[in-house]
Amino acid sequence: MSLRFLTLLSFIIIIGISCNNAEGKNSADDNSGKYVLVVHGGAGTISRQTMTPEREAQYRAGIEAALKAGYKIIEEGGEALDAVEAAVRILEDDSLFNAGKGSVFTHDGRNELDASIMDGRNRNAGAIAGVTIIKNPITAARAVMEKSEHVMLAGRGAELFAIEQNIDTVSPEYFRTEPRWRGLQRSLRADSLKKVNSTASLPADPDQKFGTVGCVALDKNGNLAAGTSTGGMNNKKYGRIGDAPIIGAGSFADNKTVAVSCTGWGEFYIRNVVAYDVSAQMEYKNMSIAEASASVIKKVGDAGGNGGLIAIDKNGNIAMPFNTSGMYRGAITKDGKIEVYFYND
Amino acid sequence: MSLRFLTLLSFIIIIGISCNNAEGKNSADDNSGKYVLVVHGGAGTISRQTMTPEREAQYRAGIEAALKAGYKIIEEGGEALDAVEAAVRILEDDSLFNAGKGSVFTHDGRNELDASIMDGRNRNAGAIAGVTIIKNPITAARAVMEKSEHVMLAGRGAELFAIEQNIDTVSPEYFRTEPRWRGLQRSLRADSLKKVNSTASLPADPDQKFGTVGCVALDKNGNLAAGTSTGGMNNKKYGRIGDAPIIGAGSFADNKTVAVSCTGWGEFYIRNVVAYDVSAQMEYKNMSIAEASASVIKKVGDAGGNGGLIAIDKNGNIAMPFNTSGMYRGAITKDGKIEVYFYND
């Protein structure tokens, strides 16, 4: 009894510590090796205070639908790569998330989408950047990986490639949603106010900055895969490319170590090669997935950046650290048990 | 006399070993800590058999001019970042090298240029991809780093940004050189022959595939910087982006470890996060610059890719490994001594 009591006490202490952890750890970080798939729908200023029960239910439904779509494939013995693509497509089609249908607008009032995918079996990878007519960028990224000699295609060239591959295209208007359009207008007003008074600011759209979706998966054959998709940064200018389509920054997967998908202030993620750095620290420093993921998010924070990441290792351990007030995220176990989290408390 | 003879004998043995080293090591890899700047002008099928003395002299002059331009800045107490930019600009303006003026053509007969630069002091970085009117892409990449909130800008947006920053622009015809145009025509003929007979091939342009230029430097304040610039892959399609503008793949610099610039089959460099992996292995595995650089080039080769890289660490040790038959490269010491190498034998 005394031993059991001590074990229970330790467990309570660990939970207590993790609940107060600024890096947003939660019970899924216990590394119990039971997970098969993790998704995220972006990190940012997500807090209980600004969330309504209706909106919370919508986000939860979106995350759960993505988890289930990916899980179905894994459960039936399918490939991690297929599961990642299926889960990300669900999030791209859901206008709540900043990817595919819910993408934010550029400064010029366009929707320019980026995505990347990576296969842990062989480090094959594909990415597209700055596309405006591809319904599901993650599927186009996969086609770049599997049907071209290249890893990364951009702009009109990427669209021509996708058309040749019979990938679904849509009119650019498909991506227009009113909440995102209003988000752009708020930012444009804030810009013009700043021109008059450099210290002025308007409240930002809480979801706008780090909206990205992603998925990492482990299949029954021990293969890992990672995918990330985004509409980029609200009000972005000059053909800016963030971390989402950059292999090593936004996505990375290697069966030897880990699959990672990031969401955050892209510039800091590129400069810190975030997704690959999780893998490098696991491989070269023998860190656990939790240690490596937390270490990398700390680096991003120390540099002045913020955001989060999701990761799954070859043993089914996961990590979902972030240094923002919240990150839409969820995981599903081998047995189909779903966990969904939004906040860091 | 006997000691001198032994020293000479050792030297001959070392030279003999380096001549047989498939990874293209040479005397500069002795890590004597005396170097301040290294440049490369691309790796590929460079061999004594296909090189004329006139052409060799031209390449040597180009590499030396770049080394001297960078060295002048370092010698006068200037910044590594300025030295890298100055050296890369010389190579961009030299039509022998596949960057700036000597860029190869895309499948559509255009010149689309990419570049990246990174500051080892703070991991600040800038990159541009797919630009067609910027005379010196390395200077535009630096402006992205210093004058924008972003790391990477692409296409027309990147050009608009450069114009706003008063960076020199040129008509796209500026980049047209006859040797590169003929290289594209050869590739297009090879493509059409392949359509008739899938096993047919024409001899490739020896320089076309991995033409890239780059520079790494260490200044008197112990700061490192890296820069890379390219016209990309001859006959490239679909807005393909290689490793040159990808931070972590084509360029990386951190004062704690190393500055790296790569040249090679870009897809393999992206998938293996080559530039950052040199730094990661030095930081996490306590490898020397020579060990880490050789290890990463071996990974590229094992995956089926080829190319090379140049690197300089905080102590002035350098490495210039490659797994092709040659790489245009040169280094300059603190005392202004210039070394230039082309081949792996």
Side-chain angles (χ1 to χ4, degrees), chain A:
Chain A
M1 278 301 279
S2 145
L3 186 63
R4 279 197 188 170
F5 175 72
L6 275 174
T7 309
L8 183 65
L9 188 66
S10 311
F11 187 67
I12 289 166
I13 290 167
I14 287 166
I15 291 289
I17 290 167
S18 77
C19 285
N20 287 307
N21 190 314
E23 282 160 17
K25 290 187 175 188
N26 52 49
S27 61
D29 288 333
D30 290 348
N31 282 339
S32 42
K34 61 184 181 184
Y35 296 91
V36 294
L37 193 127
V38 192
V39 301
H40 71 77
T45 47
I46 303 160
S47 70
R48 283 201 171 80
Q49 290 70 41
T50 59
M51 185 71 85
T52 63
E54 293 73 25
R55 202 163 165 79
E56 196 170 287
Q58 288 169 343
Y59 277 105
R60 180 175 295 273
I63 295 287
E64 285 188 359
L67 288 170
K68 285 176 183 168
Y71 179 77
K72 184 168 185 292
I73 290 165
I74 301 288
E75 178 59 17
E76 291 170 354
E79 294 190 356
L81 206 58
D82 291 325
V84 164
E85 183 187 355
V88 171
R89 284 178 66 104
I90 297 277
L91 297 167
E92 285 177 339
D93 291 343
D94 187 330
S95 65
L96 279 179
F97 301 100
N98 176 20
K101 176 71 182 165
S103 290
V104 296
F105 284 86
T106 66
H107 183 76
D108 299 330
R110 292 152 52 90
N111 302 104
E112 293 182 357
L113 286 57
D114 307 324
S116 63
I117 194 163
M118 192 159 185
D119 184 342
R121 285 177 291 203
N122 44 24
R123 288 197 180 186
N124 275 348
I128 55 166
V131 294
T132 61
I133 58 164
I134 294 172
K135 183 167 178 280
N136 290 106
I138 194 73
T139 296
R142 183 167 178 180
V144 173
M145 174 173 75
E146 295 179 339
K147 307 283 174 58
S148 86
E149 296 174 344
H150 303 308
V151 168
M152 189 171 191
L153 303 181
R156 186 65 188 149
E159 293 173 348
L160 291 175
F161 172 78
I163 290 166
E164 285 182 19
Q165 298 296 323
N166 293 315
I167 285 172
D168 283 353
T169 55
V170 289
S171 155
E173 289 76 42
Y174 165 82
F175 298 106
R176 183 189 167 109
T177 61
E178 286 314 305
R180 298 306 188 188
W181 183 252
R182 289 196 300 272
L184 173 63
Q185 304 314 313
R186 272 198 300 277
S187 296
L188 294 175
R189 278 200 303 278
D191 283 355
S192 56
L193 272 183
K194 270 186 199 161
K195 280 186 188 158
V196 180
N197 175 356
S198 64
T199 59
S201 68
L202 282 181
D205 177 343
D207 302 332
Q208 75 187 26
K209 203 155 194 179
F210 310 137
T212 304
V213 307
C215 177
V216 293
L218 168 67
D219 67 27
K220 290 182 177 176
N221 292 315
N223 295 317
L224 294 170
T228 308
S229 182
T230 188
M233 192 177 259
N234 175 51
N235 194 26
K236 72 183 174 188
K237 279 180 171 179
Y238 305 123
R240 177 255 189 190
I241 295 178
D243 64 314
I246 307 289
I247 299 300
S251 297
F252 190 78
D254 188 326
N255 277 3
K256 274 194 304 190
T257 49
V258 66
V260 181
S261 168
C262 297
T263 170
W265 191 342
E267 280 69 17
F268 289 88
Y269 279 65
I270 295 174
R271 291 162 50 195
N272 289 290
V273 203
V274 166
Y276 177 63
D277 203 30
V278 177
S279 173
Q281 293 198 77
M282 289 176 70
E283 182 176 355
Y284 301 146
K285 295 177 82 176
N286 288 315
M287 276 189 173
S288 71
I289 185 172
E291 290 166 339
S293 300
S295 151
V296 175
I297 292 298
K298 184 175 183 306
K299 279 189 205 179
V300 168
D302 290 347
N306 48 9
L309 64 83
I310 56 171
I312 187 164
D313 72 12
K314 56 186 175 175
N315 300 313
N317 302 311
I318 69 172
M320 310 190 285
F322 56 95
N323 67 1
T324 49
S325 63
M327 177 167 80
Y328 301 113
R329 62 204 188 278
I332 189 160
T333 67
K334 281 179 207 163
D335 307 322
K337 186 173 162 284
I338 283 177
E339 299 173 14
V340 177
Y341 308 93
F342 295 168
Y343 315 108
N344 71 356
D345 55 13

Side-chain angles (χ1 to χ4, degrees), chain B residues 47-106:
Chain B
S47 70
R48 285 202 169 82
Q49 289 72 41
T50 58
M51 184 71 86
T52 63
E54 293 73 26
R55 204 164 165 77
E56 197 170 285
Q58 288 169 343
Y59 277 105
R60 179 175 296 272
I63 294 288
E64 286 187 0
L67 289 170
K68 285 176 183 168
Y71 179 77
K72 184 168 185 294
I73 290 165
I74 301 287
E75 178 57 18
E76 290 170 354
E79 294 191 357
L81 206 57
D82 291 325
V84 164
E85 184 187 355
V88 171
R89 283 178 66 105
I90 297 277
L91 297 168
E92 286 177 338
D93 290 344
D94 186 332
S95 66
L96 279 179
F97 302 99
N98 176 20
K101 175 72 182 163
S103 290
V104 296
F105 284 86
T106 67

